[in-house]
Amino acid sequence: MTQRARLTWHGDAVLRGTREGAVRGLRLAAEHILERARARVPIEEGTLERSGVASVDEASLTAGVSFDQPYAVRQHEELGYRHDGGRTAKYLEGPMAEEAATVAEIIAAQVRRSLRG
């Protein structure tokens, strides 16, 4: 008994869909990290917390999370500063390390989703 199958490769569509899934995953992953970082960022008036943004460079498939205040880096790096409960230095670095597996899963899920349909 012989069985035959005809396969058609839709490479461009697959690659386009995969890239779109990756961009969507990067955006969701960056928002996830931003949410976690905002929960830890030192807070006095909330200005630093509100300055946080998540961004995606679709051309290079990279994502970033940043806080745009002149003192953001100092607050992040200065381990000797006192902060309110739950607020810490390394407010961005901590969530990045702790949420690495979750970030990978968020991106992978969006790529898989793009391949399904």
Side-chain angles (χ1 to χ4, degrees), residues 36-50:
R36 296 298 193 268
R38 280 184 170 154
R40 291 190 189 181
V41 71
I43 190 168
E44 190 161 319
E45 297 174 359
T47 306
L48 183 56
E49 181 181 3
R50 286 190 304 273

Side-chain angles (χ1 to χ4, degrees), residues 12-30 56-58 61-63 103-117:
D12 291 338
V14 170
L15 292 176
R16 186 173 45 257
T18 302
R19 185 172 189 80
E20 289 168 2
V23 168
R24 191 171 45 252
L26 283 167
R27 190 170 320 286
L28 291 171
V56 174
D57 181 340
E58 294 183 21
L61 289 178
T62 57
V103 163
E105 183 51 39
I106 289 169
I107 296 167
Q110 293 304 312
V111 170
R112 282 192 305 271
R113 181 177 176 205
S114 73
L115 292 172
R116 279 190 238 136

Side-chain angles (χ1 to χ4, degrees), residues 84-100:
D84 293 342
R87 305 300 180 143
T88 65
K90 303 295 184 180
Y91 54 87
L92 188 52
E93 187 175 324
M96 286 290 294
E98 294 159 13
E99 299 292 322

